[in-house]
Amino acid sequence: PTPQPAPLALAALGGSSGTSPTAADKPKPKAWYDRLQLRGYTQLRFNEIISGDKTAPAGQSRLRSVHDGSISDRSNFSLRRVRVVLQGEISDRVSLYLQHDFASAVLGQQAGERREGFGQLRDAYADVFLDRHKTFKVRLGQSKVPYGWENMQSSSNRLTLDRSDGINSAVPGERDLGVIAFFTPRTMQKIWDELTKEGQKTFGNYGAFGIGLMNGQGTNKTEQDNALMQVALVSLPFRVGDQILEVGASAMRNRFRPELRSGGVSAKGYADDRIGVHAMLYPRPIGVQAEWNWGKGPEFDRASGTIKEKKLNGGYVQVMGRFATEGGSTLWPYARWQHYRGGWKVALNAPRVETDEIEVGLEWQAMKALELTLAYARMRRSEADERRLGRAEGNVLRTQIQWNY
Amino acid sequence: PTPQPAPLALAALGGSSGTSPTAADKPKPKAWYDRLQLRGYTQLRFNEIISGDKTAPAGQSRLRSVHDGSISDRSNFSLRRVRVVLQGEISDRVSLYLQHDFASAVLGQQAGERREGFGQLRDAYADVFLDRHKTFKVRLGQSKVPYGWENMQSSSNRLTLDRSDGINSAVPGERDLGVIAFFTPRTMQKIWDELTKEGQKTFGNYGAFGIGLMNGQGTNKTEQDNALMQVALVSLPFRVGDQILEVGASAMRNRFRPELRSGGVSAKGYADDRIGVHAMLYPRPIGVQAEWNWGKGPEFDRASGTIKEKKLNGGYVQVMGRFATEGGSTLWPYARWQHYRGGWKVALNAPRVETDEIEVGLEWQAMKALELTLAYARMRRSEADERRLGRAEGNVLRTQIQWNY
Amino acid sequence: PTPQPAPLALAALGGSSGTSPTAADKPKPKAWYDRLQLRGYTQLRFNEIISGDKTAPAGQSRLRSVHDGSISDRSNFSLRRVRVVLQGEISDRVSLYLQHDFASAVLGQQAGERREGFGQLRDAYADVFLDRHKTFKVRLGQSKVPYGWENMQSSSNRLTLDRSDGINSAVPGERDLGVIAFFTPRTMQKIWDELTKEGQKTFGNYGAFGIGLMNGQGTNKTEQDNALMQVALVSLPFRVGDQILEVGASAMRNRFRPELRSGGVSAKGYADDRIGVHAMLYPRPIGVQAEWNWGKGPEFDRASGTIKEKKLNGGYVQVMGRFATEGGSTLWPYARWQHYRGGWKVALNAPRVETDEIEVGLEWQAMKALELTLAYARMRRSEADERRLGRAEGNVLRTQIQWNY
């Protein structure tokens, strides 16, 4: 018997040949634009240090943030994120998520200066669903590391302008390459669906239970060792009367090789292990959100002039409200206190960062396409540069306009 | 009373949650592909210096242009622009324009050499319309600086292969980050609509009156000071018998910090102030287009070996025809004379550029998808390198094929 | 008579004005999403050197491949290709192909290290069809150099994980900038259409006869001389009983300037001339595929410490099967032997590469959207670095998951 594939297989395979996706005969395949969708968002910012340590002598910290390079004495408008996503159900059992950012810089250009606006990958993953109800899925490729609730939440959804140092220090850039298994009981998915429909800021489709194996060297960085990061996240939503509460925990075991000021990557890997907890009460109309994590990681030791494994801890507590206006828009006032003590592993020489900050702000979702955030932050921060000592203090006024498409 | 948003607000907010844009219930929202559109164009060039100073000893100018790196003794085919645009009406009052270019190079790669073909942002803006007739709009983000008529006009539309040195020296790359307000009386919009429908090469949707505040450091460059560029453009179309005349003016006030050959960016900002005028008679069938501008800006001073503020002026005069062929295509013969004396602020050390050039050419719009331009240029140019003296002369034959999609 | 274009011309020209493609009146123009299509594929890999020369002392070859940087002692997951294609018929006679890759790295970033995930161009061409039956076409822009059968075949279709050193050494990266003329008799196109419909891995739409003029300096590299590469490819499918046989040949004449370890590009061009042959029997169900090529090219000469023109030759022989499973998927077992002796022109100083490799593998086309490949390779390779002597040996286990969208 001729071992030629049956017609069904042929139809299914036709499209992978690159040029003529018009092969299928019987059940008309979906048009490409019904399988795939383009969307995205852009964040335009304007920060102003209204008082404090805008500049400082060499050797002392200036008021700077690891999250936003335009908190500076020399800045005006900046594009923080320019995202384009290509996503869709590419078969009954496989979905695609491919996101890039046009707010990525390339260093070392003319006069050694940086150039803005290059397109760089954020996510490139496929979800393979193992059951019909999509409660189990395996995520393959570059995606967010399942560690920390706010790390999972899209920046397009987040209320504060930046993530907290404490939680984000685990995975700056949030992504890595690997394989993650997610499991979400249907009852929990229903609660999240209800929250999403209501317009609440959930953390997205990252499952109630997630466990992953990833490179562990960070977003868009070349793998530097032969070991894998192990990481897990649990987040469980509950009904408590008319309110919805979500609680969870994260754990991460990794070895990390920081980049060195002397050039290249550390030949030695450092333990990069953490555990964290989170809880949130979704705002109906007042909510609370808090996370904390503890662990150890690479940190520059000034006494010895070398990187060592040191303890770290940090997190935040946030309160927020959610109010509808008569015109159909939504107002989200919020306040967040954050604290962090530990290394910033992706900066040169993994400098120690000491952060205490209070941010008070208001997000106005004027319409689906446009959101405006105003924030005032009282910052006390050490600069993420091991050559600069002490901490800078100051008050920063921040504005962001975000358009969604 | 429960402060939950009304259903209308919920529907409107649903889509910003990133994953499930299927929320809305009553008036079925537009499909993504009806809200957004992908389009673009690519320019393939082949230049040949047929006679003149192809090369020169060290210290003397070679025949080179700031607009096209493939005018060289060592070049053949080149991609000048590979543009992809994502645009659309993302709500009744907000429209998106997001354009990138795949003809951007990154320097300092293997052996220190450049690599071509990286995707880099050109435009990333949202237009917010303040009135129902869209006469007032505010443009937010990265977009063209409203200065100079030909700077506004899309390169896909321009007749000559490159912009003129005189006008483009104000804003090489044409874009910056900031906020611009545009106002266009409906009577003027009607004239432009008529011109567009007729197939005339207008300058696009940049308003009759535009006024902007922008970073002022140039396209995709990191802001280097705390001051903003102030810029304004007026362009007014009139009917004169069967002809349409457009006249206008531009003004710009800025401080600019050039990049230095010794590395890094000048710690000092230089005045970068200009005013310009423009006029054009649209070709029915013969047209004239002219611009000129005067001002001062950073320019390398050979005597002192430093950058100083110096006077500059330049512009062009162009005549062109527009003729339909029997086969339905259009022929655009043209001739342009241009002149410039002043600094080129975005090159290392802001070198002085002295340009006199005559270009004679023919654009053949064979069909909507394909355009061919042949041009001959008699150039007399100093190279934009402060280490090279004098001016190079030569004759250049240039061809371009453009495909529009 | 007024030389204004006829209405037909106006409609045709309307769309090129960038902003309002709504001009045409009578035959409703296709929507943008019916003219253009987005598609692509991503390859996630995990390689493991299970035994052999993972590392080596300075001066000696380690087990590395020019095709996959993640064959290393320090690697886990890697994205080999993240492709996005925008393609379509942009008029009756013109089609577009614009492909970029988000698995491109930029070198020399923080600490001099590379960063992954930048978007870089692969293809940017327009095909202009010269006759109604599309047997003649001219390809303009950046596209694959018509040399070598497997170089033409899409990596999304290829059975082995990487191309062979022997054939790919002619055009690493496969693309260049220029103009190619293709001719395909309709009888041959019919055979290829039949093969594609059947799910066979053809080499795509590269014509039965192709002849091109291209820059010749390689993919996304700046042209370095004033000479053009001349290249030609013939590939002819025949029916032989129930089987289909394809045979062909390639030829290339070029001058190439390697990049130097001392910095910059060689001032001297080297002959880079080759001829090759190929033959394949498509698997019904067992097939054979083989290619070989001979020539001369730049190669580092250890005795003199300079690059010289030296002889080279190499190719491969592959056998493969194609079997349908009951579930509708397809299995492709294969084995390939490859051999190469010659320079690797795109590496610094054009080092000599000596490769002997056997790869045995299995591709499982689980469904249209998802393919899995497992391969075992016995490699004997010199590292592409003129400072390392000898050859490394080892056994490598390789896996790849590919998703198509």
Side-chain angles (χ1 to χ4, degrees):
Chain A
T2 325
Q4 286 204 8
L8 195 69
L10 287 175
L13 292 166
S16 67
S17 64
T19 31
S20 54
T22 54
D25 336 62
K26 285 123 204 184
K28 207 194 164 197
K30 275 186 180 176
W32 75 270
Y33 44 84
D34 287 325
R35 273 185 298 116
L36 297 176
Q37 177 194 7
L38 277 172
R39 39 169 295 276
Y41 65 97
T42 291
Q43 295 177 337
L44 174 70
R45 292 192 178 176
F46 196 107
N47 298 314
E48 190 72 28
I49 302 178
I50 51 178
S51 71
D53 304 316
K54 283 188 187 190
T55 60
Q60 273 190 283
S61 279
R62 301 165 298 178
L63 195 59
R64 299 291 182 270
S65 165
V66 287
H67 298 287
D68 186 343
S70 71
I71 296 178
S72 157
D73 59 314
R74 299 192 299 170
S75 88
N76 287 298
F77 296 100
S78 66
L79 289 172
R80 180 62 186 84
R81 291 175 180 88
V82 182
R83 297 290 172 87
V84 179
V85 181
L86 182 66
Q87 68 178 93
E89 309 289 317
I90 56 177
S91 91
D92 291 353
R93 288 291 175 92
V94 185
S95 76
L96 170 80
Y97 197 88
L98 183 55
Q99 178 178 219
H100 66 275
D101 189 4
F102 274 117
S104 304
V106 166
L107 308 181
Q109 300 302 293
Q110 185 182 264
E113 288 300 296
R114 59 190 267 154
R115 289 291 180 269
E116 313 285 343
F118 284 93
Q120 194 185 22
L121 206 60
R122 288 299 171 270
D123 301 283
Y125 63 80
D127 279 344
V128 182
F129 299 99
L130 302 182
D131 62 323
R132 203 163 49 87
H133 295 301
K134 303 196 172 181
T135 56
F136 279 104
K137 68 184 169 193
V138 176
R139 182 162 293 179
L140 305 162
Q142 181 157 317
S143 72
K144 285 189 170 179
V145 178
Y147 183 90
W149 194 92
E150 70 162 9
N151 290 331
M152 300 295 100
Q153 191 187 36
S154 169
S155 291
S156 65
N157 259 346
R158 191 179 51 254
L159 212 37
T160 54
L161 288 180
D162 298 315
R163 294 189 175 85
S164 69
D165 291 23
I167 304 304
N168 196 241
S169 57
V171 279
E174 300 96 44
R175 279 95 177 164
D176 215 314
L177 255 172
V179 174
I180 310 173
F182 288 112
F183 169 60
T184 310
R186 295 172 74 188
T187 52
M188 294 182 178
Q189 189 58 54
K190 264 182 205 160
I191 299 180
W192 280 322
D193 289 347
E194 176 190 320
L195 290 168
T196 302
K197 207 178 163 192
E198 184 183 320
Q200 294 283 1
K201 293 172 174 294
T202 66
F203 81 154
N205 55 345
Y206 289 92
F209 301 87
I211 182 161
L213 286 175
M214 311 191 89
N215 282 348
Q217 190 61 18
T219 312
N220 291 322
K221 305 233 299 236
T222 313
E223 174 61 317
Q224 297 292 344
D225 63 21
N226 213 3
L228 286 172
M229 170 199 266
Q230 299 146 48
V231 64
L233 174 70
V234 179
S235 200
L236 309 172
F238 296 103
R239 286 181 205 282
V240 181
D242 286 346
Q243 304 282 334
I244 289 172
L245 181 71
E246 187 172 327
V247 296
S250 305
M252 177 171 134
R253 198 154 174 265
N254 188 29
R255 294 197 74 79
F256 189 87
R257 302 192 179 197
E259 293 179 331
L260 304 176
R261 191 166 300 278
S262 53
V265 175
S266 168
K268 196 191 151 195
Y270 297 86
D272 180 30
D273 305 335
R274 295 178 179 226
I275 53 166
V277 293
H278 65 263
M280 71 179 302
L281 183 73
Y282 286 92
R284 282 174 167 180
I286 304 293
V288 182
Q289 178 181 336
E291 292 191 69
W292 211 267
N293 75 157
W294 303 263
K296 61 182 171 181
E299 181 188 315
F300 189 79
D301 177 73
R302 283 214 176 91
S304 63
T306 59
I307 299 170
K308 295 196 170 172
E309 283 169 14
K310 297 207 178 191
K311 284 192 181 172
L312 55 85
N313 89 94
Y316 67 92
V317 179
Q318 176 178 312
V319 293
M320 63 275 204
R322 181 164 174 274
F323 303 99
T325 66
E326 297 209 347
S329 68
T330 309
L331 289 172
W332 295 78
Y334 68 88
R336 180 185 70 177
W337 167 74
Q338 65 155 310
H339 170 92
Y340 181 57
R341 296 290 182 276
W344 194 261
K345 64 186 176 185
V346 296
L348 282 181
N349 279 353
R352 179 171 176 83
V353 164
E354 302 192 351
T355 302
D356 291 284
E357 187 182 299
I358 291 171
E359 181 175 318
V360 181
L362 178 67
E363 179 180 308
W364 175 41
Q365 292 179 321
M367 55 184 110
K368 183 186 163 184
L370 209 64
E371 301 172 16
L372 178 69
T373 303
L374 295 172
Y376 157 83
R378 168 86 192 153
M379 298 181 175
R380 199 157 170 240
R381 292 175 163 277
S382 48
E383 199 173 341
D385 184 328
E386 86 289 358
R387 300 165 305 182
R388 291 185 180 264
L389 299 170
R391 292 213 276 164
E393 283 191 60
N395 299 292
V396 186
L397 215 51
R398 308 181 69 187
T399 55
Q400 176 181 287
I401 295 183
Q402 176 178 312
W403 50 98
N404 304 305
Y405 33 95
Chain B
T2 326
Q4 288 203 8
L8 194 70
L10 286 176
L13 291 166
S16 69
S17 64
T19 32
S20 52
T22 54
D25 335 63
K26 285 123 202 182
K28 208 195 161 197
K30 274 187 182 177
W32 75 269
Y33 44 84
D34 286 326
R35 272 186 298 115
L36 297 176
Q37 176 193 9
L38 278 172
R39 39 170 295 275
Y41 65 96
T42 291
Q43 295 177 338
L44 174 70
R45 292 192 177 174
F46 196 107
N47 298 315
E48 190 71 29
I49 302 178
I50 51 178
S51 70
D53 304 316
K54 284 188 187 191
T55 60
Q60 272 190 283
S61 280
R62 300 165 298 178
L63 195 59
R64 299 291 182 270
S65 166
V66 288
H67 299 287
D68 186 342
S70 71
I71 295 177
S72 158
D73 59 314
R74 300 192 300 171
S75 88
N76 288 297
F77 296 99
S78 66
L79 290 172
R80 180 63 185 83
R81 292 175 179 89
V82 182
R83 297 289 173 87
V84 178
V85 182
L86 182 67
Q87 67 177 95
E89 309 289 318
I90 57 177
S91 91
D92 289 354
R93 287 293 175 92
V94 185
S95 74
L96 170 79
Y97 198 87
L98 182 55
Q99 178 178 218
H100 66 275
D101 188 4
F102 274 117
S104 304
V106 166
L107 308 182
Q109 300 301 293
Q110 183 182 267
E113 288 301 297
R114 60 190 268 154
R115 289 291 179 267
E116 312 286 343
F118 285 93
Q120 194 185 22
L121 206 61
R122 288 299 170 273
D123 300 282
Y125 63 79
D127 279 345
V128 181
F129 299 99
L130 302 182
D131 63 322
R132 203 163 48 88
H133 295 302
K134 303 196 172 182
T135 57
F136 279 103
K137 69 182 169 194
V138 176
R139 181 161 294 178
L140 306 161
Q142 181 157 317
S143 73
K144 285 188 169 178
V145 177
Y147 183 91
W149 194 92
E150 70 162 8
N151 291 330
M152 300 295 103
Q153 190 187 38
S154 169
S155 291
S156 65
N157 257 350
R158 190 179 54 252
L159 213 37
T160 53
L161 289 179
D162 299 314
R163 293 188 175 86
S164 69
D165 291 22
I167 304 305
N168 196 240
S169 57
V171 280
E174 300 95 45
R175 278 93 177 166
D176 216 314
L177 255 172
V179 175
I180 311 173
F182 288 112
F183 169 60
T184 311
R186 295 172 75 189
T187 51
M188 292 182 181
Q189 190 58 55
K190 263 183 206 160
I191 299 180
W192 279 322
D193 289 346
E194 175 190 321
L195 289 169
T196 301
K197 206 177 164 193
E198 183 182 318
Q200 293 282 2
K201 293 173 175 293
T202 65
F203 82 154
N205 55 345
Y206 291 91
F209 301 88
I211 183 161
L213 286 175
M214 312 191 89
N215 281 349
Q217 191 60 18
T219 312
N220 290 321
K221 305 231 302 233
T222 313
E223 173 62 316
Q224 298 292 344
D225 62 21
N226 213 4
L228 286 171
M229 170 200 264
Q230 298 147 48
V231 63
L233 174 69
V234 180
S235 200
L236 309 172
F238 297 102
R239 288 181 203 281
V240 182
D242 287 345
Q243 305 282 334
I244 290 173
L245 181 70
E246 186 172 329
V247 296
S250 306
M252 177 170 135
R253 198 154 173 265
N254 188 30
R255 294 197 74 79
F256 189 88
R257 301 192 179 196
E259 293 178 330
L260 304 176
R261 192 167 298 279
S262 53
V265 174
S266 167
K268 195 190 151 195
Y270 297 86
D272 180 30
D273 305 334
R274 294 177 179 229
I275 51 165
V277 293
H278 64 262
M280 71 178 301
L281 182 73
Y282 286 91
R284 283 177 168 176
I286 303 293
V288 182
Q289 178 181 335
E291 292 190 69
W292 211 268
N293 76 157
W294 303 263
K296 61 181 169 182
E299 181 187 315
F300 189 80
D301 177 73
R302 282 214 176 91
S304 64
T306 59
I307 300 170
K308 296 194 169 174
E309 284 170 12
K310 297 208 177 188
K311 283 191 181 172
L312 56 85
N313 88 94
Y316 66 90
V317 179
Q318 177 180 312
V319 292
M320 64 277 203
R322 182 167 173 271
F323 304 98
T325 66
E326 298 210 346
S329 67
T330 310
L331 288 171
W332 295 79
Y334 68 88
R336 179 185 72 176
W337 166 76
Q338 66 155 309
H339 170 94
Y340 180 58
R341 296 290 183 277
W344 194 260
K345 64 186 177 185
V346 296
L348 282 180
N349 278 354
R352 179 173 177 84
V353 165
E354 303 193 349
T355 302
D356 291 283
E357 186 183 299
I358 291 170
E359 180 176 317
V360 181
L362 177 68
E363 179 179 307
W364 177 42
Q365 292 179 321
M367 54 184 111
K368 182 186 164 184
L370 209 64
E371 301 172 15
L372 178 69
T373 303
L374 295 171
Y376 156 83
R378 169 84 192 156
M379 299 181 174
R380 200 157 170 238
R381 292 176 163 275
S382 47
E383 200 174 340
D385 182 329
E386 87 288 359
R387 300 165 304 181
R388 292 184 179 267
L389 299 169
R391 293 213 276 165
E393 283 190 60
N395 299 292
V396 186
L397 215 50
R398 308 182 69 187
T399 56
Q400 175 181 286
I401 296 183
Q402 175 177 312
W403 50 101
N404 304 305
Y405 35 94
Chain C
T2 325
Q4 287 203 7
L8 194 69
L10 287 176
L13 290 168
S16 68
S17 63
T19 32
S20 53
T22 55
D25 336 62
K26 286 123 201 182
K28 206 194 164 198
K30 276 187 182 176
W32 75 270
Y33 44 84
D34 287 325
R35 271 186 298 114
L36 297 176
Q37 176 193 7
L38 278 173
R39 41 169 294 276
Y41 65 96
T42 292
Q43 295 177 338
L44 174 69
R45 291 191 180 177
F46 196 106
N47 298 314
E48 190 71 28
I49 302 178
I50 49 177
S51 72
D53 304 316
K54 285 189 185 189
T55 60
Q60 272 190 282
S61 280
R62 300 165 298 177
L63 195 59
R64 299 292 182 269
S65 166
V66 288
H67 298 287
D68 186 342
S70 72
I71 295 177
S72 158
D73 59 314
R74 300 192 299 170
S75 88
N76 287 297
F77 296 99
S78 66
L79 290 171
R80 180 63 185 82
R81 292 177 178 87
V82 182
R83 297 290 172 85
V84 178
V85 181
L86 182 67
Q87 68 178 92
E89 309 289 316
I90 55 177
S91 91
D92 290 353
R93 287 296 174 91
V94 184
S95 75
L96 170 78
Y97 197 88
L98 183 54
Q99 179 177 217
H100 66 276
D101 188 4
F102 274 116
S104 303
V106 166
L107 307 181
Q109 300 301 293
Q110 184 181 266
E113 288 300 298
R114 58 191 269 154
R115 290 291 181 267
E116 312 287 342
F118 285 93
Q120 194 184 23
L121 206 61
R122 289 298 169 273
D123 300 282
Y125 62 81
D127 279 344
V128 182
F129 298 99
L130 302 182
D131 63 323
R132 203 162 48 86
H133 297 301
K134 304 197 170 180
T135 56
F136 279 104
K137 68 182 168 193
V138 176
R139 181 162 293 179
L140 305 161
Q142 181 157 317
S143 72
K144 285 189 169 178
V145 177
Y147 182 90
W149 195 91
E150 69 162 9
N151 290 331
M152 302 293 102
Q153 191 188 33
S154 169
S155 291
S156 65
N157 259 348
R158 190 180 52 252
L159 213 36
T160 53
L161 288 179
D162 299 315
R163 293 187 175 88
S164 69
D165 291 23
I167 304 303
N168 196 241
S169 57
V171 280
E174 299 95 45
R175 279 93 176 165
D176 214 313
L177 256 173
V179 174
I180 310 173
F182 288 111
F183 169 60
T184 310
R186 294 173 75 189
T187 51
M188 293 182 180
Q189 189 58 55
K190 265 183 206 161
I191 298 180
W192 280 321
D193 289 348
E194 176 190 320
L195 289 168
T196 301
K197 206 177 164 192
E198 184 183 317
Q200 294 282 1
K201 295 173 172 294
T202 65
F203 81 154
N205 55 346
Y206 289 92
F209 302 88
I211 183 162
L213 286 174
M214 312 191 88
N215 281 350
Q217 191 63 17
T219 312
N220 290 321
K221 306 233 302 236
T222 314
E223 174 62 318
Q224 297 292 344
D225 62 21
N226 213 4
L228 286 171
M229 170 200 265
Q230 299 147 48
V231 63
L233 174 70
V234 181
S235 200
L236 310 172
F238 296 102
R239 288 180 204 283
V240 182
D242 287 344
Q243 305 282 333
I244 290 172
L245 181 72
E246 187 171 328
V247 295
S250 306
M252 177 172 136
R253 198 154 174 265
N254 188 30
R255 294 197 74 80
F256 190 88
R257 300 192 180 197
E259 292 178 330
L260 304 176
R261 193 167 299 278
S262 54
V265 175
S266 166
K268 193 190 151 195
Y270 296 86
D272 179 31
D273 305 334
R274 295 180 177 223
I275 53 166
V277 292
H278 66 261
M280 73 178 302
L281 182 72
Y282 287 92
R284 284 176 168 177
I286 304 293
V288 181
Q289 179 180 336
E291 292 191 70
W292 211 268
N293 76 156
W294 303 262
K296 61 181 170 181
E299 181 188 313
F300 190 78
D301 177 73
R302 283 213 175 91
S304 63
T306 58
I307 299 169
K308 296 196 170 173
E309 283 169 14
K310 297 207 177 191
K311 283 190 181 171
L312 56 85
N313 89 94
Y316 67 92
V317 179
Q318 176 179 311
V319 292
M320 63 277 205
R322 182 165 174 273
F323 303 99
T325 67
E326 296 208 347
S329 68
T330 308
L331 288 171
W332 295 78
Y334 69 89
R336 179 185 71 177
W337 167 74
Q338 65 155 311
H339 170 94
Y340 180 57
R341 297 289 182 278
W344 194 262
K345 65 186 177 185
V346 296
L348 282 181
N349 278 354
R352 178 172 176 84
V353 165
E354 302 194 350
T355 302
D356 291 284
E357 185 182 299
I358 291 172
E359 180 175 318
V360 181
L362 178 67
E363 178 179 310
W364 178 40
Q365 292 179 322
M367 55 185 109
K368 182 184 163 183
L370 208 64
E371 301 171 16
L372 177 69
T373 303
L374 295 171
Y376 156 83
R378 169 84 193 156
M379 300 181 173
R380 203 159 165 236
R381 291 175 163 277
S382 48
E383 199 173 340
D385 184 329
E386 87 288 0
R387 299 165 305 182
R388 292 185 180 265
L389 299 170
R391 291 213 276 165
E393 282 190 61
N395 298 293
V396 186
L397 215 51
R398 309 181 68 186
T399 56
Q400 175 180 287
I401 295 184
Q402 175 178 311
W403 50 98
N404 305 305
Y405 33 93

